[in-house]
Amino acid sequence: MRITRQLFVSRKKRIKFLMDKLTYKDLPLNAPALSDVEVVKLTGRPEPGQKQRKPLPPELADDPRFYVPPKGEEKKNYRETPAFLYNRNCRFIEGTKQACFLTKSVRYDGMPESVQQLIDKFEVPDESRLVQKAILKSQIWDSTREKLPKRRDPEYPRYKIDREYGIPLEKRLNMLSFDLLRMADTAIASQYPEIGRSRRLIFYPNGMATFFKYSDSLLSFYLGIDAAITSTSPLPPFVPEELVESSSSEAIPSLYPISPTIDFLKTNNYNLKNSIGFSEISCKFPHTLILLNNDDWSEDERQARALVTAMGLAVAQVKKTYPGIKDRLPTPISVQVINMSETTMNFTYFQLNTIDFDNSEAGVKNFVWFDTGNVLFERRLPQPWKRDKILETSLENLDLDPFKKLLATVGNCAELEDSSTQFKEKLIEL
Amino acid sequence: MAFIKGFICHWGDTVLVQQRLLFRSYRLAAYRSRRKFKTERRPFHYVPKGHPVLPPDGKYTTEPLTYIRSGGRDLNGKVVNAKIGGGPKVNWYMRDDHYPEAEETQGLEEKVLRIHPDPIRTAHLALVGTGNHKRYIIAHQNMKEGDIIKTNRDIPTISVRAMEGNSHPLGALPMGTIVHNIEKIPGEGGRVCRAGGASAQVLRKVGDKVILRLPSKHEIALSFNCMATVGQVSNSGHDDIPWKGVGEKMSAGYRPRTGWHHRKTGYHGKKIKPKRTFIVKPTPPKYETYKLSGD
């Protein structure tokens, strides 16, 4: 007898062949026709689109090993209308152009005049020595030794670099930035000693959020900030009122066919919240915000993030002081933001004049100043395929100009903050 | 009939057992009939190189996904293709080959945001966005960031001026246009000419159908409503660069093969045959069906 291939046919296939070959001959004579009968599969398996878990017995209902998280429709946050969420991780694809269109702001490059005059006003004795100390403390002298992430150089991507141990990025950033802030505080306090009472430096504030309507869609912002300086008196506007009224004639570049909410997350599970994050009793006006750039984004994307956080905080403040307002504000609100990465510093200055973000052409506009690319020092990483030349990290080309700009922004309008007068005003009210 | 010693059929039929015959042709036949089921000759694409891990929602995302390589293994876990194995860990991007719905006469406009090479495919990827939606598509040869792309589903009487990157149905394009990402069934999504440097050419229109010449020099007739994009796919010279050696191929995921002691058949070698003449068959008539009810 000859061996045929049917020996190696599985049982499933044999059943399938039989089911496919069913014809009217296989049915008894008194049975109805095949077209009138519903063919039901006898395998007992569910269809591919329908998968349902069997209910667990009551003994295992509370077992965390078999926990199934609820779907989006079963959670408490579920609402019928969707909303767009903004987060610290939202990466704008068009950068500052998209952010300027969202916030309806006119863009200027450089620092405003009121801040540029303060550059040489504050002095730190032994400036270069103290700055170098802060840099070396964060880069070399610290004794932590952790596993750093794997690294590939774009010059020679196929070369596998050995595992490196050292100080992680978060720690380096925090140490450098907060050391420089402390130096700036002491320099300003030498000239205006009332800052100790009229200002607060908050690390990792929590709970900043706003929401508003933008062209038939809800936007909700949850802002993440690393440090904030708050004061008892608000910042005066960077620009007089005449220029604010003349800005209604200026145009903002359009983003057609993209909308600025393209990078927001669209969900049906969200919570709406409006809060500043600081206390509302003492030091309730924001002065500067500090963001630490822990990502590998471009400078353009970092500046866009700074703009949107400044806008979100200003809008949250407006909703508390002027509830129900829709258009132009009686007094503009100004906020400063400092972006700090390992080697570079970026500054943004934002002035809020209106809340009407829908009309991008008509009406008064907001103002933005961008100062990007201020490099403190350069950090050259090792390239071991170039033997005997570059085997260790080297720090080069120190530049003290960005530190002077930092002093100017942090010391902006320090003379106006007089805690003694405000204390007397409160006594009179009582 | 030659019986084999000690063998009993599965269906219960008994078999006479005789003494084992000793001449060579019997042994060769038995050996070949047994080896046939162990080493079956399969095509190269019987097992894919790998598969991606799709999101559980099933929705479209622009995020990079993990790609699991098969290693030449089948679902049973055994090596079916020994020429696949190894390779770098790569990200897999969901590429949208479907054409979006567009309004009449106006069409849909999209802007090109980013262009970068695809780690798995030969064609480059382009990030494209409208409104609040982003997606990845095939990049054509002369694409730049900031271009605007249109999709139109109208078939006017006069043929449309074909600009690179725009997508129209085949009935609207003039003769001689170069086209890629073609649909075979309208509404199904692009299937033809998606690899690097590929392109098809529109030859002529016959009745209800349009005739194209594919890169294999075969001709195909498709309906007027099938969509296609104008232009040639990017990265056309990826085939011309030769491999430097076995090491580069191994690091890319191809395992070696020696030609020594491999049986050669009519399958090996270049096939030189003339192409078949192309005939467009008319659509058969539809006969009306009547159902008779028995009274």
Coordinates of all heavy atoms in Angstrom, one line a residue, chain A residues 41-103:
Chain A
K41 N -21.8 26.5 13.8 CA -20.5 25.8 14.0 C -20.5 25.1 15.4 O -20.9 25.6 16.4 CB -19.4 26.8 14.0 CG -19.1 27.3 12.6 CD -17.8 28.1 12.6 CE -17.6 28.6 11.1 NZ -16.4 29.4 11.1
L42 N -20.1 23.8 15.3 CA -20.2 23.0 16.5 C -18.9 23.0 17.3 O -18.8 22.3 18.3 CB -20.5 21.6 16.1 CG -21.8 21.4 15.4 CD1 -21.9 20.0 14.8 CD2 -23.0 21.7 16.4
T43 N -17.9 23.8 17.0 CA -16.6 23.8 17.7 C -16.7 24.3 19.1 O -16.0 24.0 20.0 CB -15.5 24.5 16.9 OG1 -16.0 25.8 16.6 CG2 -15.2 23.8 15.6
G44 N -17.6 25.3 19.3 CA -17.7 25.9 20.6 C -16.8 27.0 20.9 O -16.7 27.5 22.0
R45 N -16.1 27.5 19.8 CA -15.1 28.6 20.0 C -15.8 29.9 19.7 O -16.6 29.9 18.8 CB -14.0 28.4 19.1 CG -12.6 28.4 19.8 CD -11.5 28.3 18.8 NE -10.8 27.1 18.9 CZ -9.9 26.7 18.0 NH1 -9.7 27.4 16.9 NH2 -9.3 25.6 18.2
P46 N -15.5 30.9 20.4 CA -16.1 32.2 20.1 C -15.6 32.8 18.8 O -14.5 32.5 18.4 CB -15.8 33.1 21.3 CG -14.6 32.5 21.9 CD -14.7 31.1 21.6
E47 N -16.3 33.7 18.2 CA -15.9 34.3 16.9 C -14.7 35.3 17.3 O -14.6 35.7 18.4 CB -17.0 35.1 16.3 CG -18.1 34.2 15.7 CD -19.2 35.0 15.2 OE1 -19.1 36.2 15.1 OE2 -20.2 34.3 14.8
P48 N -13.9 35.6 16.3 CA -12.7 36.4 16.6 C -13.0 37.8 17.1 O -12.3 38.4 17.9 CB -11.9 36.5 15.3 CG -12.9 36.1 14.3 CD -13.9 35.2 14.9
G49 N -14.2 38.4 16.8 CA -14.5 39.7 17.3 C -15.0 39.7 18.7 O -15.0 40.7 19.3
Q50 N -15.5 38.6 19.2 CA -16.2 38.6 20.5 C -15.3 37.8 21.4 O -15.2 36.6 21.3 CB -17.6 38.0 20.4 CG -18.5 38.7 19.5 CD -19.7 37.9 19.2 OE1 -19.9 36.8 19.7 NE2 -20.6 38.5 18.3
K51 N -14.7 38.5 22.4 CA -13.9 37.8 23.4 C -14.4 38.2 24.7 O -14.3 39.4 25.1 CB -12.4 38.1 23.2 CG -11.5 37.0 23.0 CD -10.1 37.4 23.0 CE -9.2 36.2 22.5 NZ -7.8 36.6 22.5
Q52 N -14.9 37.3 25.5 CA -15.4 37.7 26.8 C -14.7 36.8 27.9 O -14.6 35.6 27.7 CB -16.9 37.5 26.9 CG -17.6 38.6 26.1 CD -19.1 38.3 26.1 OE1 -19.6 37.4 26.7 NE2 -19.8 39.1 25.4
R53 N -14.3 37.4 28.9 CA -13.7 36.6 30.0 C -14.8 35.9 30.8 O -15.9 36.4 31.0 CB -12.9 37.5 30.9 CG -11.7 38.0 30.3 CD -11.0 39.0 31.2 NE -9.8 39.5 30.6 CZ -8.6 39.1 30.9 NH1 -8.4 38.3 31.9 NH2 -7.5 39.6 30.3
K54 N -14.5 34.7 31.2 CA -15.5 34.0 32.1 C -15.5 34.6 33.4 O -14.5 35.1 33.9 CB -15.0 32.5 32.2 CG -15.1 31.7 30.9 CD -14.7 30.3 31.2 CE -14.6 29.5 29.9 NZ -14.0 28.2 30.1
P55 N -16.7 34.6 34.1 CA -16.7 35.2 35.4 C -16.0 34.3 36.4 O -16.1 33.1 36.4 CB -18.2 35.3 35.7 CG -18.8 34.3 34.8 CD -18.0 34.2 33.6
L56 N -15.2 35.0 37.3 CA -14.4 34.2 38.2 C -15.2 33.7 39.3 O -16.3 34.2 39.7 CB -13.3 35.1 38.8 CG -12.2 35.6 37.8 CD1 -11.4 36.7 38.5 CD2 -11.3 34.5 37.4
P57 N -14.8 32.6 39.9 CA -15.6 32.1 41.1 C -15.5 33.1 42.3 O -14.5 33.9 42.3 CB -14.9 30.7 41.4 CG -13.6 30.8 40.8 CD -13.8 31.7 39.6
P58 N -16.4 33.0 43.2 CA -16.4 34.1 44.3 C -15.2 34.0 45.2 O -14.8 35.0 45.8 CB -17.7 33.7 45.1 CG -18.0 32.3 44.7 CD -17.5 32.1 43.3
E59 N -14.4 32.9 45.1 CA -13.2 32.8 46.0 C -12.1 33.7 45.4 O -11.3 34.3 46.1 CB -12.7 31.4 46.1 CG -13.8 30.5 46.7 CD -13.6 29.0 46.2 OE1 -12.7 28.8 45.3 OE2 -14.3 28.2 46.8
L60 N -12.1 33.8 44.0 CA -11.0 34.5 43.4 C -11.4 35.9 42.9 O -10.7 36.5 42.2 CB -10.5 33.7 42.2 CG -9.8 32.4 42.5 CD1 -9.6 31.6 41.2 CD2 -8.5 32.6 43.2
A61 N -12.6 36.4 43.3 CA -13.0 37.7 42.8 C -12.2 38.8 43.2 O -12.0 39.8 42.5 CB -14.5 37.9 43.2
D62 N -11.6 38.7 44.4 CA -10.8 39.8 45.0 C -9.3 39.6 44.8 O -8.5 40.3 45.2 CB -11.0 39.9 46.5 CG -12.4 40.5 46.7 OD1 -12.9 41.2 45.8 OD2 -13.0 40.3 47.8
D63 N -8.9 38.5 44.0 CA -7.5 38.2 43.9 C -6.8 39.2 43.0 O -7.3 39.5 41.9 CB -7.4 36.8 43.3 CG -6.0 36.2 43.6 OD1 -5.1 37.0 43.8 OD2 -5.9 35.0 43.6
P64 N -5.8 39.9 43.4 CA -5.1 40.9 42.6 C -4.4 40.3 41.4 O -4.1 41.0 40.4 CB -4.2 41.6 43.5 CG -3.9 40.6 44.6 CD -5.1 39.8 44.8
R65 N -4.2 39.0 41.4 CA -3.5 38.4 40.2 C -4.4 38.4 39.0 O -3.9 38.5 37.9 CB -3.1 37.0 40.6 CG -1.9 36.8 41.5 CD -1.6 35.4 41.8 NE -2.7 34.8 42.5 CZ -2.7 33.5 42.8 NH1 -1.8 32.7 42.4 NH2 -3.7 33.0 43.5
F66 N -5.7 38.3 39.2 CA -6.6 38.2 38.1 C -7.4 39.5 37.9 O -8.5 39.6 37.4 CB -7.6 37.1 38.3 CG -6.9 35.8 38.6 CD1 -6.9 35.2 39.8 CD2 -6.2 35.1 37.6 CE1 -6.3 34.0 40.1 CE2 -5.6 33.9 37.8 CZ -5.6 33.4 39.1
Y67 N -6.8 40.6 38.4 CA -7.5 41.9 38.3 C -7.6 42.4 36.9 O -6.6 42.4 36.1 CB -6.8 43.0 39.2 CG -7.3 44.4 39.0 CD1 -8.6 44.7 39.5 CD2 -6.5 45.4 38.4 CE1 -9.0 46.0 39.4 CE2 -7.0 46.6 38.3 CZ -8.2 46.9 38.8 OH -8.7 48.2 38.7
V68 N -8.7 42.8 36.5 CA -9.0 43.4 35.1 C -9.3 44.8 35.3 O -10.3 45.1 36.0 CB -10.1 42.6 34.4 CG1 -10.4 43.3 33.1 CG2 -9.7 41.2 34.2
P69 N -8.5 45.8 34.8 CA -8.9 47.2 35.0 C -10.1 47.6 34.2 O -10.4 47.0 33.1 CB -7.6 47.9 34.5 CG -7.0 47.0 33.5 CD -7.3 45.6 34.0
P70 N -10.8 48.5 34.7 CA -12.1 48.9 34.0 C -11.7 49.7 32.7 O -10.7 50.3 32.5 CB -12.8 49.8 35.0 CG -11.7 50.4 35.8 CD -10.7 49.3 35.9
K71 N -12.7 49.6 31.8 CA -12.5 50.3 30.5 C -12.8 51.8 30.7 O -13.1 52.2 31.8 CB -13.4 49.7 29.5 CG -13.1 48.3 29.1 CD -14.1 47.9 28.0 CE -13.8 46.4 27.6 NZ -14.8 45.9 26.6
G72 N -12.5 52.5 29.6 CA -12.7 54.0 29.7 C -14.1 54.4 30.1 O -14.3 55.4 30.7
E73 N -15.1 53.6 29.6 CA -16.5 54.0 29.8 C -17.0 53.8 31.2 O -18.0 54.3 31.6 CB -17.4 53.3 28.8 CG -17.1 53.6 27.4 CD -17.7 52.7 26.4 OE1 -18.2 51.6 26.9 OE2 -17.7 52.9 25.2
E74 N -16.3 52.9 31.9 CA -16.7 52.5 33.3 C -16.0 53.4 34.4 O -16.4 53.2 35.5 CB -16.4 51.1 33.5 CG -17.2 50.1 32.6 CD -16.6 48.7 32.6 OE1 -15.7 48.5 33.4 OE2 -17.0 47.9 31.7
K75 N -15.1 54.2 34.0 CA -14.4 55.0 35.0 C -15.2 56.2 35.4 O -16.2 56.5 34.8 CB -13.0 55.5 34.5 CG -12.0 54.3 34.2 CD -10.7 54.9 33.7 CE -9.8 53.8 33.4 NZ -8.6 54.3 32.7
K76 N -14.8 56.8 36.5 CA -15.5 57.9 37.1 C -15.3 59.2 36.2 O -16.1 60.0 36.2 CB -15.1 58.2 38.5 CG -15.5 57.2 39.5 CD -15.1 57.7 40.9 CE -15.2 56.5 41.9 NZ -14.6 56.8 43.2
N77 N -14.2 59.2 35.5 CA -13.9 60.4 34.8 C -14.6 60.6 33.5 O -14.4 61.5 32.7 CB -12.4 60.5 34.4 CG -11.5 60.6 35.6 OD1 -12.0 61.1 36.7 ND2 -10.3 60.3 35.5
Y78 N -15.4 59.6 33.1 CA -16.0 59.5 31.8 C -17.0 60.6 31.6 O -17.9 60.8 32.4 CB -16.6 58.2 31.5 CG -17.2 58.0 30.1 CD1 -16.3 57.8 29.1 CD2 -18.5 58.1 29.9 CE1 -16.8 57.7 27.8 CE2 -19.0 57.9 28.6 CZ -18.1 57.7 27.6 OH -18.6 57.6 26.3
R79 N -16.8 61.4 30.5 CA -17.8 62.4 30.1 C -18.1 62.1 28.6 O -17.3 61.6 27.9 CB -17.3 63.8 30.2 CG -17.3 64.2 31.7 CD -15.9 64.5 32.2 NE -15.7 64.2 33.6 CZ -15.8 65.1 34.6 NH1 -16.2 66.3 34.3 NH2 -15.4 64.8 35.8
E80 N -19.3 62.6 28.2 CA -19.7 62.2 26.8 C -19.0 63.1 25.8 O -18.5 62.6 24.7 CB -21.2 62.5 26.7 CG -22.0 61.4 27.4 CD -23.5 61.7 27.3 OE1 -23.9 62.7 26.6 OE2 -24.3 60.9 27.8
T81 N -18.8 64.4 26.1 CA -18.1 65.2 25.1 C -16.6 65.0 25.3 O -16.1 65.1 26.4 CB -18.4 66.7 25.3 OG1 -18.2 67.0 26.7 CG2 -19.9 66.9 25.0
P82 N -15.8 64.8 24.3 CA -14.4 64.7 24.4 C -13.7 66.0 24.6 O -14.2 67.1 24.3 CB -13.9 64.1 23.1 CG -14.9 64.5 22.1 CD -16.2 64.6 22.9
A83 N -12.5 66.0 25.2 CA -11.7 67.2 25.4 C -10.2 66.9 25.1 O -9.8 65.8 25.0 CB -11.8 67.6 26.9
F84 N -9.5 68.0 24.9 CA -8.1 67.9 24.5 C -7.2 68.2 25.8 O -7.4 69.3 26.4 CB -7.7 68.9 23.4 CG -8.4 68.6 22.1 CD1 -9.6 69.2 21.8 CD2 -7.8 67.7 21.2 CE1 -10.3 68.8 20.6 CE2 -8.5 67.4 20.0 CZ -9.7 68.0 19.7
L85 N -6.3 67.3 26.1 CA -5.5 67.5 27.3 C -4.1 68.0 26.9 O -3.5 67.5 26.0 CB -5.4 66.2 28.1 CG -6.7 65.5 28.5 CD1 -6.3 64.3 29.4 CD2 -7.6 66.5 29.3
Y86 N -3.6 68.9 27.8 CA -2.2 69.3 27.6 C -1.4 68.8 28.8 O -1.8 68.9 29.9 CB -2.1 70.8 27.5 CG -0.7 71.3 27.4 CD1 0.0 71.2 26.1 CD2 0.0 71.8 28.5 CE1 1.3 71.7 26.0 CE2 1.3 72.2 28.3 CZ 2.0 72.1 27.1 OH 3.3 72.5 27.0
N87 N -0.2 68.4 28.5 CA 0.7 67.8 29.5 C 2.1 68.3 29.3 O 2.4 68.9 28.3 CB 0.7 66.3 29.4 CG 1.0 65.6 30.7 OD1 1.2 66.3 31.7 ND2 1.0 64.3 30.7
R88 N 3.0 68.0 30.3 CA 4.3 68.5 30.1 C 5.0 67.7 29.0 O 6.1 68.2 28.5 CB 5.1 68.2 31.4 CG 6.4 68.9 31.6 CD 7.1 68.4 32.8 NE 8.5 68.7 32.7 CZ 9.2 69.3 33.7 NH1 8.5 69.7 34.7 NH2 10.4 69.6 33.5
N89 N 4.5 66.6 28.6 CA 5.2 65.8 27.6 C 4.6 66.0 26.2 O 5.0 65.3 25.3 CB 5.0 64.3 27.9 CG 5.6 63.9 29.2 OD1 6.6 64.4 29.6 ND2 5.0 63.0 29.9
C90 N 3.8 67.0 26.0 CA 3.2 67.3 24.7 C 4.3 68.1 23.9 O 4.7 69.2 24.3 CB 2.0 68.2 24.9 SG 0.5 67.3 25.0
R91 N 4.6 67.5 22.8 CA 5.7 68.0 22.0 C 5.1 68.7 20.7 O 4.5 68.0 19.9 CB 6.6 66.8 21.5 CG 7.9 67.2 21.2 CD 8.8 65.9 21.1 NE 10.1 66.2 20.6 CZ 11.1 65.4 20.5 NH1 10.9 64.2 20.9 NH2 12.2 65.7 20.0
F92 N 5.2 70.0 20.7 CA 4.6 70.7 19.6 C 5.4 70.5 18.3 O 6.7 70.7 18.3 CB 4.6 72.2 19.9 CG 3.4 72.6 20.7 CD1 2.7 71.7 21.5 CD2 3.0 73.9 20.8 CE1 1.6 72.0 22.2 CE2 1.9 74.3 21.6 CZ 1.2 73.4 22.3
I93 N 4.7 70.1 17.2 CA 5.4 69.7 16.0 C 5.9 70.9 15.2 O 6.9 70.8 14.5 CB 4.5 68.8 15.2 CG1 5.4 67.9 14.3 CG2 3.5 69.5 14.4 CD1 4.9 66.5 14.2
E94 N 5.3 72.0 15.3 CA 5.7 73.2 14.6 C 6.5 74.1 15.6 O 7.0 75.2 15.1 CB 4.5 73.9 14.0 CG 3.9 73.2 12.9 CD 4.5 73.5 11.5 OE1 4.7 74.7 11.2 OE2 4.9 72.5 10.8
G95 N 6.5 73.8 16.8 CA 7.3 74.6 17.7 C 6.7 75.9 18.2 O 5.5 76.0 18.5
T96 N 7.5 77.0 18.2 CA 7.0 78.2 18.7 C 5.9 78.8 17.8 O 5.1 79.6 18.3 CB 8.2 79.2 18.8 OG1 8.9 79.2 17.6 CG2 9.1 78.8 19.9
K97 N 6.0 78.5 16.5 CA 4.9 79.0 15.6 C 3.5 78.5 16.0 O 2.6 79.3 16.0 CB 5.3 78.6 14.2 CG 4.5 79.2 13.1 CD 4.9 78.7 11.8 CE 4.0 79.2 10.7 NZ 4.3 78.5 9.4
Q98 N 3.5 77.3 16.4 CA 2.2 76.7 16.9 C 1.8 77.3 18.2 O 0.6 77.6 18.4 CB 2.4 75.2 17.0 CG 1.1 74.4 17.1 CD 1.3 72.9 17.2 OE1 2.4 72.5 16.9 NE2 0.4 72.2 17.6
A99 N 2.7 77.5 19.1 CA 2.4 78.1 20.4 C 1.9 79.5 20.3 O 1.0 79.9 21.0 CB 3.6 77.9 21.3
C100 N 2.6 80.3 19.4 CA 2.2 81.7 19.2 C 0.8 81.8 18.7 O 0.0 82.7 19.0 CB 3.2 82.4 18.3 SG 4.7 82.7 19.1
F101 N 0.4 80.8 17.8 CA -0.9 80.9 17.2 C -2.0 80.5 18.3 O -3.1 81.0 18.3 CB -1.0 79.9 16.0 CG -2.3 80.0 15.2 CD1 -2.4 81.0 14.3 CD2 -3.3 79.1 15.4 CE1 -3.6 81.1 13.5 CE2 -4.5 79.2 14.7 CZ -4.6 80.2 13.7
L102 N -1.6 79.6 19.1 CA -2.6 79.1 20.2 C -2.8 80.3 21.2 O -4.0 80.5 21.5 CB -2.0 77.9 20.9 CG -2.9 76.8 21.4 CD1 -2.2 76.0 22.5 CD2 -4.2 77.2 22.0
T103 N -1.7 80.9 21.6 CA -1.9 82.0 22.6 C -2.1 83.3 22.0 O -2.2 84.3 22.8 CB -0.6 82.0 23.4 OG1 0.5 82.3 22.6 CG2 -0.4 80.7 24.1

